Amino acid sequence: MASSLENLSLQSKEDNNEDDVVDPWNVSSKNQTGIDYNKLIRRFGSSKIDDELLMRIEAATKKPVHHFLKRGIFFSHRDLHSILNLYEQGKPFYLYTGRGPSSSSLHIGHLVPFIFTKWLQDVFNVPLIIQLTDDEKFLWKDLKLEEAKALSVENAKDIIACGFDKKNTFIFSNLQFMGECPSFYGNVLRIQKSVTFNQVKGIFGFGDSDVIGKIAFPAVQAAPCLSSTFPFIFGNEKVPCLVPCAIDQDPYFRMTRDVAPKLGYLKPALIHSSFLPSLQGAGTKMSASDLNSSIYLKDTPKEIKNKINKYAFSGGRETVEMHREKGGDCNVDISYQYLKYFLESDEELIKIEKAYTSGNMLTGELKKILIESISKIVKEHQTNRSKITDDNVKEFMTPRKLT
């Protein structure tokens, strides 16, 4: 009989036959409206976040759910009910998420999981682990080790600027932490010993010409799901883990959920986000390697305005007359899609949608609203980041007990 990991491998191979391509390194769709997330849930075998689950989250936290949840931006989960059970019983859990530092600045798409993770940390008041996978970027990108290390520091500053609680947040770089913490490498080895080459090749699609570092890496991303990786935080206690992440990272944790019980741990729970699309259209996600597909957190107001006006794909009609008559298509319009992520007011978003789909609002007017919204967010982030020093980064990245 095939093991559950081998079943996951077969599922991943079937994914390649779909029009939507979603894996940890590639996201694309042939559909103008982007990824079909309902189909993706069925293919990955996760569960949809429904109204009943939203009500349960509100009841447990006694706080309104985040607009990312209400609008289906975080749309899928694995075992989130088990985390809520723990919380309701007064039992501990922790959050774990990460970032692969491939550029000196995050773009606004990278903000999405961190904005939501901060909300989770605030409403549940739990420890947070943030992994910087600089080793991964060294293996996959044309980077020197020294460059990867430097990018980790710069990305850590962007992450800290999101407002995480220093007393309850530990950020680490794989390149640094692997040498400092024997328990990290020990768990990496335990996971590597539990997964065969054929299994990891099937799950991630590695080929015979891929370097062996890539084949070994998934265990490194899996290890933070085991609380014993951080004895200075959790001691000997086996504390369950919730991973907020974009759904393209799910293959890592499908593997981890199979391995964890073999090592005496509960399976990590997950909550998945959708992808902020590229400026050019919903067929691909924002990419740190394409300057014109992304709005970076270091961009000036002029750069933001120029990028949105020049590159943001429009759902408007060919002429003003046709637009007034037939209205715009919010399903493909990138400016509207970005406002779904970053405009917090539900009333304002509904008003914009009605005005644009009726033809009363033109594309230029919609883009102007987006420019104002994104410029405000980026300016606030830049102000926060300017106050963060190398010493602040060192404090967040020092192994220590969290509260």
Side-chain angles (χ1 to χ4, degrees):
M1 180 182 292
S3 74
S4 55
L5 271 177
E6 288 168 333
N7 289 336
L8 290 176
S9 302
L10 291 172
Q11 184 183 35
S12 295
K13 289 173 183 175
E14 290 169 0
D15 291 350
N16 293 331
N17 295 324
E18 302 287 345
D19 288 342
D20 293 346
V21 176
V22 177
D23 63 38
W25 310 282
N26 303 285
V27 175
S28 65
S29 174
K30 295 178 182 178
N31 194 318
Q32 200 174 28
T33 57
I35 303 296
D36 185 332
Y37 289 105
N38 288 324
K39 187 183 293 185
L40 199 60
I41 287 172
R42 294 193 295 271
R43 284 163 53 192
F44 280 13
S46 60
S47 300
K48 187 173 183 176
I49 295 176
D50 55 19
D51 290 341
E52 182 181 350
L53 182 53
L54 295 184
M55 287 189 291
R56 188 178 178 195
I57 294 170
E58 285 194 339
T61 62
K62 298 179 173 57
K63 299 283 178 62
V65 294
H66 197 279
H67 72 271
F68 284 175
L69 286 168
K70 285 191 291 183
R71 296 176 190 171
I73 290 166
F74 274 80
F75 68 98
S76 166
H77 75 99
R78 296 185 187 275
D79 286 344
L80 187 54
H81 283 290
S82 67
I83 293 295
L84 294 173
N85 290 342
L86 291 170
Y87 183 72
E88 290 164 353
Q89 296 163 15
K91 295 179 180 178
F93 71 93
Y94 69 98
L95 300 168
Y96 156 48
T97 193
R99 160 76 185 134
S102 59
S103 60
S104 61
S105 170
L106 272 62
H107 60 56
I108 60 169
H110 295 138
L111 275 185
V112 172
F114 289 117
I115 290 171
F116 187 69
T117 299
K118 183 184 183 303
W119 179 81
L120 289 172
Q121 184 185 49
D122 290 345
V123 298
F124 288 107
N125 190 27
V126 289
L128 166 63
I129 308 292
I130 299 176
Q131 180 186 45
L132 298 171
T133 57
D134 38 17
D135 53 344
E136 176 200 19
K137 294 307 174 186
F138 169 73
L139 291 167
W140 265 268
K141 302 284 186 179
D142 185 21
L143 289 174
K144 296 178 181 178
L145 278 175
E146 293 73 22
E147 291 174 318
K149 289 179 183 178
L151 292 178
S152 277
V153 174
E154 294 305 308
N155 282 200
K157 290 178 179 179
D158 271 333
I159 292 167
I160 294 167
C162 294
F164 291 107
D165 179 3
K166 181 174 66 178
K167 297 196 222 57
N168 226 6
T169 304
F170 174 57
I171 302 174
F172 70 95
S173 143
N174 284 347
L175 288 174
Q176 176 182 335
F177 192 54
M178 189 75 78
E180 291 180 346
C181 188
S183 57
F184 181 28
Y185 186 50
N187 277 341
V188 169
L189 285 175
R190 291 183 183 97
I191 294 166
Q192 287 175 341
K193 193 172 181 179
S194 302
V195 184
T196 69
F197 172 60
N198 279 338
Q199 288 167 340
V200 79
K201 189 167 66 170
I203 294 169
F204 296 97
F206 295 137
D208 293 340
S209 60
D210 279 311
V211 298
I212 59 174
K214 291 183 178 181
I215 295 157
F217 173 76
V220 181
Q221 188 157 320
C225 293
L226 310 182
S227 58
S228 59
T229 299
F230 311 100
F232 49 88
I233 299 174
F234 303 110
N236 295 321
E237 194 173 359
K238 292 185 176 180
V239 181
C241 174
L242 171 62
V243 183
C245 63
I247 198 167
D248 60 341
Q249 298 300 300
D250 188 70
Y252 285 111
F253 302 109
R254 294 207 295 263
M255 182 196 81
T256 311
R257 283 168 55 82
D258 188 88
V259 172
K262 300 175 185 176
L263 301 178
Y265 290 84
L266 290 176
K267 296 179 179 182
L270 283 93
I271 182 165
H272 302 119
S273 76
S274 58
F275 310 109
L276 188 70
S278 160
L279 281 169
Q280 286 90 342
T284 58
K285 67 174 182 176
M286 264 198 180
S287 170
S289 60
D290 184 352
L291 294 177
N292 294 326
S293 77
S294 311
I295 297 169
Y296 285 85
L297 297 178
K298 65 179 181 181
D299 283 349
T300 66
K302 183 178 180 181
E303 287 171 329
I304 294 169
K305 181 179 179 180
N306 288 342
K307 284 183 178 181
I308 291 173
N309 280 332
K310 186 173 182 179
Y311 297 110
F313 186 83
S314 170
R317 303 295 174 174
E318 291 82 358
T319 65
V320 172
E321 291 76 16
M322 286 180 64
H323 187 88
R324 294 293 191 199
E325 179 186 350
K326 297 183 177 180
D329 186 352
C330 286
N331 291 321
V332 301
D333 192 285
I334 289 300
S335 295
Y336 175 79
Q337 293 301 317
Y338 281 21
L339 288 171
K340 275 184 69 176
Y341 282 77
F342 295 110
L343 187 64
E344 293 188 18
S345 169
D346 292 333
E347 293 78 10
E348 189 65 21
L349 186 67
I350 292 170
K351 182 179 173 183
I352 290 168
E353 181 181 11
K354 287 181 177 178
Y356 193 64
T357 55
S358 69
N360 289 330
M361 179 181 287
L362 299 175
T363 296
E365 296 170 306
L366 181 57
K367 286 187 174 185
K368 183 180 178 182
I369 295 172
L370 178 65
I371 290 165
E372 292 171 353
S373 298
I374 296 299
S375 296
K376 181 180 177 181
I377 291 169
V378 171
K379 182 180 179 181
E380 181 181 348
H381 183 90
Q382 290 172 352
T383 300
N384 293 339
R385 193 188 192 280
S386 68
K387 301 172 185 176
I388 296 166
T389 65
D390 289 343
D391 286 340
N392 295 139
V393 173
K394 186 176 180 181
E395 289 172 348
F396 271 88
M397 298 183 75
T398 297
R400 66 204 187 281
K401 187 75 174 175
L402 302 180
T403 57

